[in-house]
Structure formats: C-alpha cells, structure tokens
C-alpha cells in the first residue's frame, strides 16, 4: 500500500541521511549526562563513517523492492556466510594471521544477521520469499547476500545500544565493523547485484499490498 511504501521510504531516508540525524542529535546531546553523550557518540561512529557509495546502494535497494516490485533472487552468491569467510581470508593475507577478536566479530555478525533478518531486515514484499526459502534448519546467512547484510549494518547502532559494553570495547568493535564495511565497499561490484530480477507480485498475498 501507499502507506507501507511511505513508511519504508521514511525509514530508509532516516537511515541513510546521517547529516540530518546528526543535527537533530546535536540538540538532544546538550540535555544528557556526559557518559551518555560519550556512548551515543560511539554508537553514531558507524553511521557517521558509513561509505557514501554504500548509502546509495541502500537507496537503490529500497527502490528496487518497494517501488519497482523486484526482489533479490535467492540463494545469493556469495552468501553472507561466504562474504564473512572471504573477509577473514582477506585479513589473513593482510595480517598473516586471524586475530581472535576478528573471528569473534564475524561470528557474532553472522549470528546477529540470522536472528535480525526476519525481525527487522525485510520489507513487507519480501516476507513470502523468506518463508519459501528459509525452512527447517536453514540459516539465512547461507541463503541471503550482501544486499541484506548491508541493511544489518544500518541497524547495528540500535542493536549495540542495548549491549552492556565498556566505551573502549565498543569503540574497538565499531572500528572492526567499519573495516568490514570498507571490505564490502571495496568489493561492491562483485558482492552486490546491479539489478534485481525477482518478481514480488503476490509476495505479500495480493498485488499492490
């Protein structure tokens, strides 16, 4: 419906326009305690350094699904699981080893993705496709790809805000997440689709809903 499309658009616009959000937060920051200011500042680090080309990718993603009625054909290649494995391989070549913290971050990101996808990463028109593709013990990270992984990064500040973590540890975590984002950007042409081919007609039960 027009209402759903408008709601999706407003959500996406709010997520990709970091500058506007920063200005709005500037008013709120003056009214909160110092330790809360530091935490919010840390939580906004991920969005403030979000690569511009990936922001555009998010807008294109929204337009394909909500405006053109196109879906990502599943299963994707590479999958989220495959991308995170490639990232670890990339770190090995660069550092000559896999740090425990890096392995833990990718493992946690995979777990977050599997749980967050059905709860907050799908547009309404993608719900039916999800039910058709994810059955039994199948993990979303072995079916979905970069397009939906990128949506998770937009939601991470919200998810991290509920995690009890020291400021220094939170900063280090976000630096690692930013490194993964830069890896996605570096491989954008290979990891992301330039056009969606799947048809969403009937994906939400009836055309136009």
């Amino acid at each position: 419906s027009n209402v759903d499309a408008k709601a999706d658009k407003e959500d996406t616009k709010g997520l990709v326009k970091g500058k506007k959000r920063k200005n709005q937060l500037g008013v709120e920051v003056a009214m909160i305690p110092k330790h809360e200011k530091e935490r919010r500042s840390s939580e906004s680090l991920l969005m403030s350094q979000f690569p511009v080309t990936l922001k555009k990718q998010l807008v294109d993603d929204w337009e394909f699904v909500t405006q053109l009625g196109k879906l990502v054909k599943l299963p994707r290649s590479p999958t989220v699981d495959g991308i995170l494995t490639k990232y670890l391989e990339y770190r090995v070549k660069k550092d000559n080893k896999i740090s425990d913290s890096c392995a833990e971050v990718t493992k946690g990101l995979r777990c977050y993705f599997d749980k967050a996808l059905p709860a907050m990463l799908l547009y309404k028109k993608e719900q039916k496709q999800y039910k058709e593709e994810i059955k039994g013990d199948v993990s979303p990270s072995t079916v979905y790809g970069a397009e939906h992984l990128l949506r998770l990064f937009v939601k991470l500040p919200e998810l991290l805000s509920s995690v009890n973590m020291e400021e220094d540890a939170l900063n280090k975590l976000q630096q690692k997440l930013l490194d993964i984002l830069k890896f996605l950007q570096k491989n954008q042409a290979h990891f992301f689709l330039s056009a969606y081919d799947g048809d969403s007609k009937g994906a939400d039960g009836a055309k136009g809903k």
Side-chain angles (χ1 to χ4, degrees):
S1 67
N2 290 334
V3 174
D4 290 331
K6 183 177 180 181
D8 285 338
K9 184 174 182 179
E10 288 302 317
D11 287 344
T12 304
K13 286 170 66 178
L15 294 172
V16 301
K17 290 189 176 180
K19 185 174 181 181
K20 183 177 181 181
R21 172 167 291 189
K22 182 178 179 181
N23 290 339
Q24 292 173 336
L25 286 178
V27 176
E28 299 173 4
V29 166
M31 300 161 49
I32 57 181
K34 182 178 179 181
H35 70 281
E36 286 297 327
K37 290 181 186 180
E38 292 173 348
R39 186 167 186 83
R40 290 195 184 189
S41 175
S42 174
E43 289 164 3
S44 66
L45 176 66
L46 196 61
M47 294 310 299
S48 67
Q49 297 186 33
F50 211 97
V52 175
T53 56
L54 294 184
K55 287 184 180 181
K56 183 180 183 303
Q57 188 78 46
L58 284 167
V59 174
D60 291 344
D61 175 51
W62 171 83
E63 288 182 345
F64 275 127
V65 179
T66 67
Q67 303 301 294
L68 301 178
K70 298 294 184 180
L71 303 183
V72 172
K73 275 193 175 182
L74 301 175
R76 282 286 287 117
S77 179
T79 61
V80 169
D81 191 58
I83 290 171
L84 294 178
T85 298
K86 288 178 184 294
Y87 172 73
L88 287 178
E89 293 171 351
Y90 158 75
R91 293 308 314 180
V92 168
K93 290 181 180 179
K94 192 169 183 177
D95 305 332
N96 293 320
K97 64 177 182 179
I98 297 180
S99 67
D100 291 340
S101 60
C102 186
E104 287 176 5
V105 168
T106 55
K107 181 180 179 181
L109 198 59
R110 185 182 290 106
C111 182
Y112 261 122
F113 181 83
D114 286 337
K115 293 181 178 180
L117 182 77
M120 61 177 67
L121 302 183
L122 296 175
Y123 289 111
K124 185 177 179 181
K125 292 181 179 180
E126 297 174 308
Q127 294 289 344
K128 182 180 178 182
Q129 183 190 43
Y130 170 82
K131 293 176 183 178
E132 292 173 345
E133 296 288 340
I134 308 300
K135 296 178 180 179
D137 297 327
V138 176
S139 299
S141 56
T142 64
V143 177
Y144 288 81
E147 295 79 18
H148 291 80
L149 177 60
L150 188 60
R151 296 182 196 176
L152 175 63
F153 275 91
V154 177
K155 292 289 186 180
L156 280 176
E158 175 186 339
L159 295 172
L160 291 175
S161 67
S162 62
V163 177
N164 185 17
M165 187 180 296
E166 292 293 331
E167 184 71 19
D168 184 57
L170 185 59
N171 280 330
K172 289 180 179 178
L173 171 59
Q174 292 209 76
Q175 290 296 341
K176 287 183 172 61
L177 293 172
L178 281 170
D179 191 57
I180 297 176
L181 263 183
K182 291 175 182 177
F183 177 71
L184 290 177
Q185 182 186 32
K186 182 179 179 180
N187 295 277
Q188 190 167 356
H190 176 60
F191 288 166
F192 292 88
L193 293 172
S194 58
Y196 296 2
D197 300 321
D199 193 344
S200 69
K201 289 181 179 179
D204 48 52
K207 184 178 178 181
K209 290 187 177 181

